[in-house]
Amino acid sequence: MIFPYINSLVNYAMKYNLIETSDKYYVINTLLDILNLDEYIETEECPDLSLEEILGKILDFAVENELIDDNITERDLFDTRVMSALTPRPSEVINKFNALYAESPEKATDYFYKLSCDCDYIRRYRIKKDMKWVYPCEYGNLDITINLSKPEKDPKAIAAAKNAKQSSYPKCMLCRENTGYRGRLNYPARQTLRTVPVLLDGVESSMQYSPYVYYNEHCIVFNNEHTPMKIDKKAFAKLLDFVSVFPHYFIGSNADLPIVGGSILSHDHFQGGHYTFAMAEAPIEKEFVFDGFEDVSAGIVKWPMSVIRLNGKNKEKLVELSDKILTAWRAYTDEDAFVFAETDGVPHNTITPIARRRGEKFEMDLVLRNNITTDEHPLGVYHPHSELHHIKKENIGLIEVMGLAVLPSRLKTELAILEECLVKGEDVSKNEKIAIHADWADEIKGKYDLITEENVHEIVLKETGLVFKTVLEHAGVYKVTEEGRNAFMRFLESVK
């Protein structure tokens, strides 16, 4: 019988303040409509289950009564529709957020993040499945994650999505029209998505949380208009405006060129959150003074990528200097260092910027990027090279730049099989499931005298972290060598 689980869900909603007692029968009737039921049978039975378990029972009912097919896509669409019955309206969320912000920015974001979890927009039970560990190295503690929170679609769901009607609404995953959208077989449901408005340098924008939460309170801030990504003076001003409004958060932007940019270049957006990455803790290894900006502390950060850090109380001066550096970098060519501003009219130089507060001061990290390709490196010279693709082939975006690896889900299985092969001394190249790791496995065998069941897991995690460190070194325009630092200094001298 479904009614005990409806009770459990309503009790959950009241426990987590999604609804009030006076909303009870309104919500029950909304759920009856969703479940295609004409009546509600009162029952004292109310199983004490987790949200995942409650929704699982309701989804099983929907499958048994042919409301949906039994695949992950339709189940996700349907349980989001169910949870939308419990989720406060956007205006209610915004009003409460603003009231709490008047007390403190942190109280406002605490409420908003908790709401995004409690209404199941952020599926905490899936996030817990992600594999996470830390790799300590000379640059600090790099975060390594294997992303398991995005569900793998089964063949039936993939076929259904392929045959589904195509639509241009919403225009993209970041458009504000996503709020409340029911989704479709080839587009995720967003009925529980809520956003709050934020004005950045006069530009109307909105903040939401990422459903995948790669780090604590992982937020996305997007332009209310569907306009392309662009790193320019205004972008720097918007970033520093954001950390003025939310001083406990950092904010950054992917670069605005392919290969070194994010997965969505068509919609202007930033990513931020309440987290301290290894790059933020990395020290300055060489200080530098820019003419006319003596009140701004500047220097090269000890990091595998090429990072300029600016710090000062006057955010307008930071915007001006950031723009000066960007303008110089866009036009900069140094053939000896294999840095080309453009080839055949195609621009290559851009910047990945990250802003944060340091007490009363503002801080901006400018990461130099270049997306040039060659026959040897068709995916990018400053991109993970082919020998690392068995672990990381995807673009090195903002999150990786700061020191957090988001590795593909396939690695959970592949690394487990690899561990078994290493312990047994088997030839990895002959195992088709992990043959892509054969050369790496040989390297590992050559580094360790004894690999056992007791130490193999630690060894593989450590070596995976080392690969990510190498990935960042490949993505750096100027290598962490004396020659590389000299080339970096040539660029900085050209800015002066």
Side-chain angles (χ1 to χ4, degrees):
M1 190 164 67
I2 190 63
F3 303 113
Y5 303 113
I6 292 177
N7 279 350
S8 297
L9 188 60
V10 171
N11 281 0
Y12 169 90
M14 289 193 287
K15 177 182 177 181
Y16 289 95
N17 300 312
L18 294 174
I19 64 172
E20 298 181 11
T21 304
S22 56
D23 296 319
K24 178 178 177 179
Y25 286 103
Y26 174 84
V27 170
I28 286 174
N29 288 327
T30 303
L31 292 172
L32 293 181
D33 179 38
I34 293 170
L35 296 169
N36 198 28
L37 294 170
D38 293 325
E39 61 179 356
Y40 173 69
I41 299 175
E42 293 278 1
T43 174
E44 294 295 320
E45 191 178 351
C46 184
D48 183 17
L49 302 173
S50 68
L51 179 60
E52 181 182 17
E53 291 169 327
I54 297 168
L55 291 175
K57 295 294 185 181
I58 292 173
L59 288 168
D60 290 344
F61 173 87
V63 171
E64 290 165 9
N65 289 270
E66 299 183 347
L67 299 176
I68 59 172
D69 288 334
D70 192 12
N71 62 65
I72 187 65
T73 302
E74 293 203 34
R75 290 175 77 95
D76 277 3
L77 290 171
F78 195 82
D79 71 6
T80 304
R81 185 181 172 197
V82 168
M83 289 303 296
S84 72
L86 318 176
T87 306
R89 285 177 177 262
S91 57
E92 296 175 60
V93 175
I94 291 168
N95 290 338
K96 186 164 185 179
F97 181 91
N98 289 339
L100 289 170
Y101 185 88
E103 297 179 38
S104 84
E106 201 156 353
K107 279 188 177 180
T109 55
D110 284 350
Y111 155 73
F112 188 35
Y113 182 71
K114 183 176 182 299
L115 171 75
S116 299
C117 292
D118 291 342
C119 74
D120 210 36
Y121 181 71
I122 296 171
R123 298 174 185 257
R124 285 173 289 199
Y125 43 87
R126 287 186 181 167
I127 304 298
K128 288 179 181 178
K129 297 177 182 178
D130 290 349
M131 291 177 60
K132 298 180 180 181
W133 68 97
V134 171
Y135 173 71
C137 67
E138 65 268 34
Y139 304 113
N141 291 325
L142 302 181
D143 292 307
I144 315 297
T145 68
I146 295 178
N147 175 35
L148 303 170
S149 54
K150 287 186 180 180
E152 298 286 341
K153 292 185 178 181
D154 60 47
K156 286 185 179 179
I158 293 170
K162 183 179 180 181
N163 296 325
K165 179 182 176 182
Q166 298 300 307
S167 173
S168 59
Y169 180 87
K171 288 182 180 177
C172 80
M173 296 288 291
L174 294 175
C175 285
R176 58 180 174 171
E177 292 85 359
N178 282 281
T179 303
Y181 185 59
R182 71 173 187 172
R184 50 187 189 266
L185 290 174
N186 54 8
Y187 198 98
R190 290 292 181 254
Q191 286 156 307
T192 54
L193 168 64
R194 297 295 180 263
T195 68
V196 294
V198 56
L199 191 67
L200 301 179
D201 196 41
V203 177
E204 291 186 357
S205 306
S206 298
M207 181 174 76
Q208 66 174 76
Y209 287 103
S210 166
Y212 305 114
V213 194
Y214 292 133
Y215 49 85
N216 187 46
E217 295 179 42
H218 178 183
C219 68
I220 300 170
V221 182
F222 59 88
N223 193 317
N224 282 356
E225 299 299 321
H226 183 76
T227 187
M229 294 278 292
K230 188 176 183 182
I231 302 300
D232 57 10
K233 185 176 183 179
K234 196 164 188 68
F236 299 136
K238 289 191 289 184
L239 292 173
L240 291 174
D241 257 11
F242 181 87
V243 294
S244 299
V245 177
F246 301 105
H248 58 299
Y249 274 14
F250 81 90
I251 187 98
S253 176
N254 271 305
D256 55 357
L257 293 178
I259 296 176
V260 295
S263 58
I264 301 178
L265 296 177
S266 61
H267 196 131
D268 182 30
H269 70 285
F270 307 134
Q271 294 183 76
H274 200 181
Y275 191 71
T276 302
F277 289 86
M279 192 175 84
E281 296 182 318
I284 296 291
E285 65 177 10
K286 185 171 181 61
E287 295 183 350
F288 197 82
V289 177
F290 290 92
D291 295 341
F293 296 90
E294 287 77 12
D295 56 340
V296 176
S297 300
I300 295 174
V301 178
K302 184 182 178 181
W303 194 246
M305 297 183 70
S306 308
V307 186
I308 304 163
R309 178 166 295 161
L310 310 178
N311 183 288
K313 287 187 175 181
N314 188 327
K315 68 179 181 180
E316 286 74 23
K317 291 294 278 296
L318 260 68
V319 170
E320 290 292 335
L321 182 51
S322 296
D323 185 54
K324 181 176 182 178
I325 293 169
L326 172 66
T327 301
W329 180 243
R330 294 273 195 200
Y332 187 74
T333 291
D334 181 349
E335 294 188 14
D336 291 339
F338 205 78
V339 173
F340 296 87
E342 58 86 22
T343 54
D344 300 323
V346 177
H348 296 306
N349 291 347
T350 185
I351 277 175
T352 297
I354 302 105
R356 65 182 74 88
R357 295 291 292 272
R358 298 279 192 191
E360 294 183 359
K361 292 185 177 182
F362 295 89
E363 188 165 274
M364 182 79 83
D365 283 350
L366 304 173
V367 187
L368 305 182
R369 311 299 302 275
N370 181 289
N371 74 347
I372 194 169
T373 61
T374 63
D375 290 341
E376 183 182 1
H377 302 295
L379 296 183
V381 172
Y382 306 110
H383 178 86
H385 294 174
S386 58
E387 67 269 22
L388 305 180
H389 289 178
H390 65 105
I391 296 291
K392 181 70 175 176
K393 184 178 182 180
E394 299 78 14
N395 289 358
I396 304 305
L398 171 68
I399 295 172
E400 286 88 1
V401 164
M402 295 185 292
L404 190 155
V406 181
L407 302 179
S409 60
R410 62 176 171 81
L411 287 176
K412 179 185 179 182
T413 301
E414 291 175 9
L415 295 185
I417 297 172
L418 177 64
E419 288 178 14
E420 188 178 339
C421 288
L422 289 172
V423 170
K424 293 180 178 178
E426 294 176 351
D427 187 348
V428 171
S429 67
K430 293 181 179 178
N431 187 323
E432 61 179 19
K433 293 180 180 179
I434 58 169
I436 59 171
H437 300 296
D439 291 343
W440 183 47
D442 288 342
E443 287 180 27
I444 294 173
K445 290 175 186 176
K447 290 172 68 172
Y448 297 90
D449 294 331
L450 185 65
I451 299 177
T452 66
E453 287 184 5
E454 289 71 30
N455 69 7
V456 68
H457 186 61
E458 182 181 349
I459 287 171
V460 169
L461 294 187
K462 179 181 177 181
E463 293 300 318
T464 303
L466 176 59
V467 171
F468 178 59
K469 186 189 82 166
T470 309
V471 162
L472 293 180
E473 290 172 342
H474 283 194
V477 174
Y478 296 116
K479 304 310 172 191
V480 188
T481 61
E482 183 178 355
E483 183 181 2
R485 285 305 185 227
N486 288 339
F488 200 164
M489 287 301 299
R490 287 201 298 274
F491 166 66
L492 293 176
E493 291 289 349
S494 76
V495 179
K496 291 180 69 174

